[in-house]
Amino acid sequence: MGVKERRERAKDATRQKILDAARELFARDGYEAVSMRRIADAIEYSPTAIYVYFKDKADLMKELCHLDFEAFTVQAQQFADVADPIQRIRLLAQSYIRFAAEHPNHFRLMFMTRLTPEMVEMDEDEMKERGRGDPSRDGYAFLMQCVQEAIAQGLVREDLQHDPEMVAQILWAGGHGVASLQVTRLENEPWFTWKGADALGEATLLAVLRGVMRDEAMTRLDSGVLPAATRTVPDGKVNT
């Protein structure tokens, strides 16, 4: 390995140390309570060194969110070839809850941190570069694609078919509730018996699906005979 390659590898390693320390501090103490100096102290670097990699705290937070959402979307994409949209939604919700259990700091940062305008400020070119609206790179777009296919196949309740965003966010809220409990509960909860993220997630999702899907679709799902349908929404950018 040449000198240039070693330098690049060292820079990448330093950048990763900064990101890992920032993620842990933001998730534990909250974004507002953490300064660039605290992040530098955590990895025994000078604050000046961090500014070589990130222009400010918001820039650092934006990069963390991008990387962590990308990691989640990669995990979710393993279900992209599941033909039936309801089954795909079911698997996506299970994956969301599992991601929270396996990566609690990532989850807290992504979904339980109050965002500020500077954290999410992007122009159209940057949003496009980061994959907004592309189901293969944007987890929300992937969920929207599943919902739009379910609507196109007549599986969603008629009174909700005009609003796929509402359906997607109802489904998201159900999975998010279980995932949030998973990452915030005590390990040995003294006040109640925790039913477990897997069992509770499945029961919650089925209850939510029964609320938004037509009875016929749920009957077929419950009986395990929901057919593998032809996908009716093309791959690519989701309609919003």
Side-chain angles (χ1 to χ4, degrees), residues 143-228:
L143 174 59
M144 279 289 293
Q145 182 183 63
C146 298
V147 169
Q148 289 175 331
E149 290 184 30
I151 290 172
Q153 294 174 24
L155 301 175
V156 175
R157 270 175 29 196
E158 188 173 350
D159 60 313
L160 290 173
Q161 290 181 8
H162 70 287
D163 196 348
E165 291 268 9
M166 178 63 78
V167 176
Q169 289 171 31
I170 290 170
L171 294 166
W172 182 10
H176 183 75
V178 176
S180 298
L181 286 172
Q182 170 67 25
V183 300
T184 58
R185 70 182 182 85
L186 293 173
E187 188 65 31
N188 296 302
E189 175 58 59
W191 290 100
F192 62 89
T193 301
W194 174 245
K195 301 303 292 184
D198 290 342
L200 184 60
E202 179 70 0
T204 300
L205 178 63
L206 288 176
V208 173
L209 283 171
R210 288 190 178 96
V212 299
M213 299 296 170
R214 294 176 61 189
D215 291 343
E216 179 187 354
M218 290 309 301
T219 299
R220 288 153 62 191
L221 179 62
D222 290 340
S223 65
V225 296
L226 195 63

Side-chain angles (χ1 to χ4, degrees), residues 18-32 34 57 60-69 99-100 103-115 119-120 176 183:
I18 295 168
L19 289 166
D20 290 343
R23 181 187 293 109
E24 182 176 353
L25 288 169
F26 289 158
R28 188 186 68 200
D29 301 334
Y31 175 81
E32 296 296 338
V34 176
K57 189 171 71 167
L60 175 51
M61 180 66 164
K62 186 186 293 187
E63 181 64 13
L64 276 172
C65 286
H66 171 64
L67 291 172
D68 291 352
F69 276 107
F99 183 87
H103 307 285
N105 281 345
H106 295 63
F107 186 86
R108 289 188 186 96
L109 187 73
M110 295 160 65
F111 299 109
M112 302 177 74
T113 299
R114 187 174 183 84
L115 298 178
M119 292 182 202
V120 296
H176 183 75
V183 300

Side-chain angles (χ1 to χ4, degrees), residues 129-148:
E129 181 182 343
R130 290 180 180 266
R132 182 181 183 273
D134 179 351
S136 68
R137 300 178 61 199
D138 177 344
Y140 184 72
F142 183 47
L143 174 59
M144 279 289 293
Q145 182 183 63
C146 298
V147 169
Q148 289 175 331

